[in-house]
Amino acid sequence: MISDLAANIVGILGSVLIVAAYAYNVYAPSVNPFAYNGANLLGAALLTVSLMVHFNLASLLLEIVWIAIALGGLWKAWQQKVGQQR
């Protein structure tokens, strides 16, 4: 298990990634779906690690959904990329 301090640092990094991805999606002239969904996936994963130390069921459920959406976005982007190469 990780320390309280490490869990907080990991959670803060996850939060920063998710907020940065959102800002990127709002302000970038063109959004790379792999970067956007990858940042959301990594951010949610880091927050999930933090929640293993500072458990909160509602937040954990939110992060599980966030991970599922990010994985779906990555899958969709990959399918579109593969379709364009054919």
Side-chain angles (χ1 to χ4, degrees):
M1 193 55 86
I2 63 175
S3 71
D4 282 351
L5 177 60
N8 283 328
I9 291 169
V10 167
I12 290 167
L13 289 173
S15 295
V16 167
L17 273 171
I18 288 174
V19 171
Y22 180 68
Y24 169 62
N25 185 48
V26 170
Y27 295 111
S30 168
V31 175
N32 178 324
F34 293 102
Y36 174 69
N37 288 299
N40 273 305
L41 177 61
L42 182 57
L46 291 173
L47 278 164
T48 300
V49 169
S50 175
L51 286 167
M52 295 298 111
V53 175
H54 303 288
F55 185 75
N56 178 307
L57 181 59
S59 293
L60 179 62
L61 294 173
L62 175 65
E63 295 315 316
I64 290 169
V65 171
W66 206 265
I67 288 169
I69 292 170
L71 286 171
L74 287 168
W75 176 255
K76 179 181 174 186
W78 184 75
Q79 290 288 1
Q80 288 174 344
K81 183 173 180 150
V82 169
Q84 290 173 354
Q85 294 176 350
R86 291 184 180 182

